[in-house]
């Protein structure tokens, strides 16, 4: 936090935002569980770990829906219930549409699909692909002299196992892509194991730094830190910015937090009731 | 063909500022002029095929028309998922250029062999597949690619392919009638055309009865009108191509036969379904697979 305070801009407008955004984050959390229950969908813990990050991105970083200057890509596509809920919470889509999550033919399938939802930047579901696409978007806009086009991309820590991620990071650093903002949801939970063990207890922060990125680490569930660090972007004028957000999978619901099997489990009616009792705010649907 | 390819890109880039060349650290000397004239539109991503394709997908999303260039075996196999997902699934107008498809790099060993490049690309819905046989075909097809708005795979030969005199127009999706004939329709793909044409001239210079020669530079969408025409007028259809038996024109013809019920005997002259061990020359492989034209 010491380093963060040095970069911190004027705090007066941030303080006003924290409580409302915390409330919205809780509503999104409740909504994610309800959506997963309705659709009998899984990936609940992955979706919950990034609720606060998405609240910050949609609630404070992007200034208006479908902005062409501030673009967001959810690269960890299996967590899309949170993205859809955040879109509804901030007025990008009608909250009623959340009831169609996971329904065949819906605009909101269980992995984001640009072919049925053209407004989103890109489809996801195959991990490690979107970062390379983001570099293409940034390069293209630079060619078009649109230097104020920024792309923020949310990846999972497990996703950073993929070689294609590092090919893209290499390229972004070599091309001094200071318009590229990478957020890593570092919940230390992968599909069949722990991220730290799988990666030999090395640190993501160090890896990104050694590749040449400007890196900050935050508490990924602290709305104050999230919106503060987003306001500090870009961290450098000639490097991609990376935010390592330390999170807990399933955050916000005690019996889901940090439990591997909740990667695969769809909430039952009892789970839903118990979750909403803990979160204490109603879902959007 | 590579020179024709590079020259056409330079020519088209003058009028079409969407055109970009992106390479995975391949093509030494091929794009020097393009890079000199349009430095911002030439990008070397390094030996990173996944990045090559994903980067091109991002460019295409923003309205550019990238040509992603690498060696055929690497770009089609290593980056298959990126081509399938980032380009094919999103129907993005990225042209994937596989230099040295088939056995053009036969002596470099199996890592550089790509008789399966067309086969792999054929599994991706919606992708157009072009296998030109001569420099003039490359020039014409590249220009037409820019008029279309679809993903495309372009297999490129090397250098020094002979031109074949023929007035048939060069159009994506249309086979070319090179020589009229009877009884047998020989169908070539890619640089089998100049090879077979040359052998044909020696074999049939003094005979009256001779087979027809057709050329299919487009595997997908394959020209079924010409196939229908061939089925009505010929007894046999002979295919010469450097593609695996589960792909290429042979696969398209079998599909067409199954759908239409066409009664024509099909014979294929191409590689078998095997890895080629060692480093035989291309000529040795053609002899092994019966791809040298015998009367």
């Amino acid at each position: 936090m010491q380093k963060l305070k040095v970069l911190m801009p004027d705090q007066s407008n941030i303080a006003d935002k924290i409580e409302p955004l915390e409330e919205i984050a809780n509503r999104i959390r409740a909504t994610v569980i309800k959506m997963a229950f309705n659709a009998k969908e899984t990936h609940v813990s992955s979706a919950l770990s990034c609720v606060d990050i998405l609240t910050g991105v949609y609630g404070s970083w992007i200034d208006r829906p479908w902005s062409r200057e501030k673009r967001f890509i959810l690269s960890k596509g299996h967590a899309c219930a949170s993205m859809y809920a955040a879109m509804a919470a901030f007025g990008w889509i009608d909250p009623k549409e959340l009831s169609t999550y996971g329904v065949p033919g819906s605009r909101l399938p269980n992995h984001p699909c640009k072919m049925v939802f053209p407004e989103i930047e890109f489809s996801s579901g195959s991990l490690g692909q979107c970062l390379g696409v983001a570099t293409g978007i940034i390069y293209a806009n630079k060619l078009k002299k649109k230097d104020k086009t920024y792309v923020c991309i949310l990846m999972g820590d497990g996703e950073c196992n993929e070689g294609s991620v590092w090919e893209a990071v290499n390229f972004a650093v070599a091309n001094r892509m200071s318009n590229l903002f990478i957020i890593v949801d570092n919940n230390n939970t992968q599909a069949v194991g722990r991220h730290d063990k799988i990666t030999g207890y090395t640190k993501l922060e160090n890896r990104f730094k050694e590749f040449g990125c400007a890196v900050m680490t935050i508490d990924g569930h602290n709305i104050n830190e999230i919106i503060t660090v987003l306001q500090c972007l870009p961290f450098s004028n000639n490097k991609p910015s990376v935010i390592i957000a330390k999170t807990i999978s399933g955050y916000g619901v005690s019996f889901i937090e940090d439990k591997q099997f909740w990667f695969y489990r769809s909430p039952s009616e009892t789970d839903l009731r118990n979750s909403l009792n803990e979160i204490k705010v109603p879902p959007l649907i | 063909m590579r020179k024709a390819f590079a020259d056409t890109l330079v020519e088209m880039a003058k009028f079409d500022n969407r055109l970009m060349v992106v390479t995975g650290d391949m093509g030494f000397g091929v794009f020097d002029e393009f890079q000199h004239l349009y430095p911002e539109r030439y990008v070397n991503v390094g030996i990173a095929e996944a990045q090559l394709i994903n980067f091109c997908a991002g460019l295409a999303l923003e309205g550019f028309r990238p040509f992603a260039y690498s060696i055929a075996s690497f770009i089609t196999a290593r980056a298959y998922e990126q081509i399938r997902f980032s380009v094919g699934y999103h129907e993005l107008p990225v042209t994937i250029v596989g230099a040295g498809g088939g056995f053009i790099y036969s002596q470099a060993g199996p890592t550089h062999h790509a008789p399966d490049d067309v086969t792999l690309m054929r599994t991706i819905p919606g992708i157009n597949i072009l296998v030109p046989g001569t420099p003039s075909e490359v020039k014409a097809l590249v220009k037409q690619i820019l008029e279309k708005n679809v993903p495309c795979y372009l297999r490129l030969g090397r250098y020094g392919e002979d031109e074949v005199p023929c007035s048939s127009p060069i159009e994506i999706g249309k086979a070319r009638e090179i020589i009229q004939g009877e009884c047998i329709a020989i169908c070539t793909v890619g640089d089998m055309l100049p090879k077979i044409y040359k052998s044909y001239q020696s074999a049939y210079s003094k005979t009256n009865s001779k087979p027809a020669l057709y050329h299919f530079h487009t595997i997908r969408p394959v020209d079924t009108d010409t196939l229908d025409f061939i089925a009505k007028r010929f007894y046999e259809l002979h295919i010469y191509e450097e593609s695996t038996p589960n792909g290429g024109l042979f696969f398209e013809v079998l599909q067409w036969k199954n759908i239409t019920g066409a009664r024509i005997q099909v014979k294929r002259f191409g590689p078998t379904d095997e890895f080629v061990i060692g480093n035989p020359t291309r000529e040795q492989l053609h002899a092994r697979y019966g791809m040298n034209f015998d009367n």
Side-chain angles (χ1 to χ4, degrees):
Chain A
M1 275 304 287
Q2 187 71 31
K3 198 168 173 182
L4 198 62
K5 279 182 181 161
V6 167
L7 292 173
M8 239 165 15
D10 172 28
Q11 283 218 298
S12 56
N13 59 342
I14 292 177
D16 291 339
K17 285 181 184 171
I18 295 170
E19 205 175 310
L21 287 179
E22 282 174 346
E23 164 100 9
I24 291 173
N26 277 334
R27 288 211 75 184
I28 292 172
R29 251 183 283 281
T31 306
V32 164
I33 312 244
K34 184 77 188 290
M35 288 165 68
F37 168 72
N38 286 348
K40 299 187 184 5
E41 277 296 335
T42 59
H43 300 129
V44 171
S45 54
S46 301
L48 288 176
S49 67
C50 57
V51 165
D52 300 292
I53 297 167
L54 288 167
T55 302
V57 168
Y58 281 92
S60 74
W61 184 68
I62 310 179
D63 47 0
R64 66 182 190 286
W66 314 116
S67 162
R68 300 319 292 148
E69 288 72 44
K70 288 186 170 181
R71 320 253 194 115
F72 175 73
I73 300 177
L74 180 71
S75 191
K76 55 173 280 184
H78 52 284
C80 60
S82 291
M83 181 179 76
Y84 299 146
M87 283 181 174
F90 292 102
W92 290 43
I93 60 174
D94 185 339
K96 289 197 197 98
E97 195 173 353
L98 297 178
S99 303
T100 69
Y101 170 62
V103 172
S106 151
R107 204 164 64 135
L108 310 182
N110 61 3
H111 288 91
C113 174
K114 189 173 173 67
M115 303 309 282
V116 300
F117 194 169
E119 291 85 348
I120 64 172
E121 292 305 321
F122 209 63
S123 311
S124 46
S126 174
L127 297 174
Q129 310 285 24
C130 291
L131 187 58
V133 175
T135 63
I137 293 173
I138 286 176
Y139 194 97
N141 278 279
K142 190 173 154 203
L143 282 184
K144 292 196 262 189
K145 312 279 184 229
K146 291 184 180 173
D147 292 341
K148 297 290 180 205
T149 301
Y150 302 95
V151 179
C152 175
I153 175 167
L154 176 60
M155 301 200 295
D157 51 10
E159 184 170 8
C160 297
N161 295 166
E162 288 279 5
S164 53
V165 165
W166 301 100
E167 290 184 16
V169 171
N170 214 25
F171 181 83
V173 166
N175 286 271
R176 301 157 76 90
M177 289 189 166
S178 57
N179 290 14
L180 178 62
F181 308 147
I182 300 168
I183 307 176
V184 182
D185 180 357
N186 186 197
N187 60 23
N188 200 30
T189 307
Q190 304 199 188
V192 196
R194 291 291 185 185
H195 177 74
D196 52 11
K197 185 176 179 190
I198 288 168
T199 54
Y201 301 99
T202 54
K203 285 182 178 265
L204 268 172
E205 296 89 323
N206 293 347
R207 230 173 290 138
F208 278 103
K209 269 188 204 147
E210 283 304 313
F211 263 74
C213 300
V215 185
M216 297 283 280
T217 301
I218 61 164
D219 174 353
H221 298 302
N222 184 314
I223 292 283
N224 184 13
E225 287 193 31
I226 291 167
I227 60 179
T228 303
V229 83
L230 289 172
Q231 287 212 354
C232 295
L233 290 167
F235 304 149
S236 162
N237 63 3
N238 61 5
K239 297 177 185 182
S241 299
V242 178
I243 300 167
I244 306 294
K246 297 291 190 191
T247 58
I248 298 170
S249 70
Y251 181 80
V253 180
S254 62
F255 56 89
I256 301 178
E257 282 185 7
D258 208 36
K259 304 277 189 315
Q260 185 91 55
F261 63 83
W262 269 102
F263 190 91
Y264 302 98
R265 184 172 155 146
S266 163
S268 66
E269 198 163 355
T270 308
D271 295 327
L272 173 65
R273 189 171 55 245
N274 292 340
S275 303
L276 295 181
N277 284 341
E278 281 194 30
I279 297 170
K280 292 184 174 51
V281 293
L284 292 168
I285 49 166
Chain B
M1 277 194 243
R2 271 178 229 189
K3 186 168 184 324
F5 174 65
D7 289 348
T8 309
L9 292 180
V10 166
E11 181 194 333
M12 297 309 292
K14 217 186 309 183
F15 309 106
D16 191 341
N17 57 11
R18 306 168 304 166
L19 199 164
M20 289 191 62
V21 171
V22 187
T23 175
D25 203 38
M26 297 286 177
F28 181 74
V30 177
F31 303 111
D32 286 355
E33 193 185 354
F34 189 99
Q35 189 179 2
H36 172 69
L37 291 170
Y38 311 107
E40 286 186 330
R41 289 198 266 152
Y42 170 88
V43 181
N44 180 1
V45 303
I47 310 170
E49 289 78 12
Q51 173 61 13
L52 170 64
I53 300 299
N54 283 335
F55 174 68
C56 286
L59 292 175
L61 274 176
E62 298 296 305
F64 285 88
R65 299 300 304 272
F67 284 74
Y69 181 93
S70 186
I71 285 181
S73 60
F74 304 141
I75 200 169
T76 56
R78 198 163 193 149
Y80 175 80
E81 206 220 339
Q82 284 74 36
I83 298 171
R84 175 179 179 271
F85 169 69
S86 298
V87 174
Y89 177 62
H90 292 92
E91 298 175 359
L92 290 171
V94 175
T95 302
I96 294 111
V97 184
F103 290 111
I104 286 173
Y105 289 120
S106 61
Q107 290 190 273
T111 54
H112 288 60
H113 297 166
D116 53 356
D117 59 342
V118 167
T119 307
L120 278 171
M121 294 294 98
R122 178 60 181 85
T123 64
I124 298 171
I127 195 167
N128 280 194
I129 299 175
L130 306 176
V131 190
T134 62
S136 57
E137 286 195 344
V138 170
K139 281 186 186 151
L141 293 175
V142 167
K143 289 178 183 175
Q144 290 169 43
I145 285 170
L146 286 164
E147 291 161 14
K148 297 188 90 175
N149 205 34
V150 296
C152 196
Y153 175 66
L154 174 70
R155 180 202 268 192
L156 265 197
R158 219 166 178 178
Y159 295 103
E161 296 88 358
D162 292 332
E163 283 294 349
V164 168
C166 174
S167 58
S168 267
I170 304 167
E171 287 177 43
I172 290 179
K174 298 264 182 270
R176 302 177 73 201
E177 183 186 69
I178 310 293
I179 303 172
Q180 289 184 334
E182 54 202 4
C183 296
I184 295 172
I186 298 165
C187 299
T188 58
V189 176
D191 64 356
M192 292 299 103
L193 170 61
K195 173 190 162 79
I196 298 299
Y197 181 83
K198 197 169 166 187
S199 306
Y200 183 106
Q201 297 297 89
S202 324
Y204 291 103
S205 58
K206 292 179 180 141
T207 59
N208 290 329
S209 172
K210 50 194 177 186
L213 179 58
Y214 288 87
H215 178 64
F216 285 74
H217 49 62
T218 306
I219 301 301
R220 192 179 191 202
V222 78
D223 182 359
T224 50
D225 289 342
T226 297
L227 291 175
D228 291 340
F229 179 87
I230 288 173
K232 288 190 186 114
R233 282 163 176 74
F234 297 88
Y235 298 109
E236 290 182 18
L237 192 161
H238 292 189
I239 298 172
Y240 285 80
E241 64 177 345
E242 260 185 356
S243 276
T244 51
N246 52 356
L249 181 63
F250 180 60
F251 175 77
E252 301 300 322
V253 165
L254 289 185
Q255 281 213 101
W256 157 81
K257 257 193 102 176
N258 189 48
I259 291 167
T260 61
R263 289 169 171 244
I264 182 167
Q265 192 179 4
V266 176
K267 288 185 181 170
R268 176 184 166 274
F269 301 88
T272 53
D273 184 19
E274 63 176 1
F275 287 112
V276 173
I277 309 298
N279 58 341
T281 64
R282 208 175 173 204
E283 290 70 26
Q284 286 171 325
L285 285 173
H286 286 180
R288 185 194 300 188
Y289 297 133
M291 294 168 72
N292 290 325
F293 186 73
D294 295 316
N295 186 2

